[in-house]
Amino acid sequence: MVTLTKAEEKIMQILWELEKGFVKDIQAMFPDPKPPYNSVSTIVRVLVKKDIIGFTKYGGTYEYFPMITKEDYRKSQMGSLVNNYFNNSFKQVVNFFSEDKNLKIEEVNEVINMLEDLKQKKDG
């Protein structure tokens, strides 16, 4: 799966939230100051060319919708991140985050519980 630029990702975040919309709808979801309509339109057209966004034509206007789910994109990006920066090692990922001094004990406990549940499912 393709990696999106920050601008493309922002458009996708909006479209995933809207589920479908016209360029003006996408532009309206940006915080102030909003990007120019033409800038949003250009990025949307790039995403169409990348087969990330599809559209329905109504006369001279287009309603856009995501062709990939947020979950699929997230899985792809996380897989690339783990592969490229952690040698495809979940252990290295956990170690990286465990070194974060801002972790709350509640979050650590939740992760431990999640891992224990996962282990039980795998042991089956």
Side-chain angles (χ1 to χ4, degrees):
M1 184 174 295
V2 68
T3 298
L4 304 175
T5 66
K6 287 184 181 187
E8 292 168 343
E9 215 169 86
K10 180 62 181 166
I11 298 285
M12 288 307 299
Q13 292 287 348
I14 290 170
L15 263 182
W16 283 319
E17 183 178 337
L18 291 174
E19 296 181 6
K20 61 184 177 178
F22 299 93
V23 171
K24 65 180 178 62
D25 301 325
I26 297 167
Q27 181 193 30
M29 295 291 289
F30 277 88
D32 289 327
K34 297 185 184 318
Y37 179 93
N38 288 342
S39 298
V40 174
S41 179
T42 298
I43 295 167
V44 167
R45 284 194 311 274
V46 168
L47 289 166
V48 167
K49 285 182 183 177
K50 290 182 175 183
D51 289 326
I52 304 295
I53 290 178
F55 62 87
T56 304
K57 185 175 182 181
Y58 299 100
T61 190
Y62 298 84
E63 184 177 43
Y64 298 96
F65 55 88
M67 293 180 56
I68 59 170
T69 66
K70 187 175 185 175
E71 180 65 21
D72 285 345
Y73 185 72
R74 178 175 35 205
K75 284 179 184 177
S76 169
Q77 293 307 298
M78 286 303 296
S80 294
L81 181 73
V82 171
N83 185 44
N84 294 333
Y85 293 95
F86 298 100
N87 298 322
N88 221 19
S89 168
F90 181 66
K91 180 180 166 185
Q92 287 185 21
V93 173
V94 171
N95 184 55
F96 174 81
F97 285 107
S98 70
E99 293 173 352
D100 185 348
K101 306 297 185 237
N102 293 326
L103 282 177
K104 297 176 185 164
I105 192 68
E106 298 86 19
E107 289 177 322
V108 172
N109 288 331
E110 286 178 28
V111 170
I112 289 169
N113 289 335
M114 290 170 62
L115 291 172
E116 287 173 352
D117 289 345
L118 179 62
K119 183 176 186 259
Q120 286 179 358
K121 287 178 186 174
K122 296 277 184 180
D123 288 344

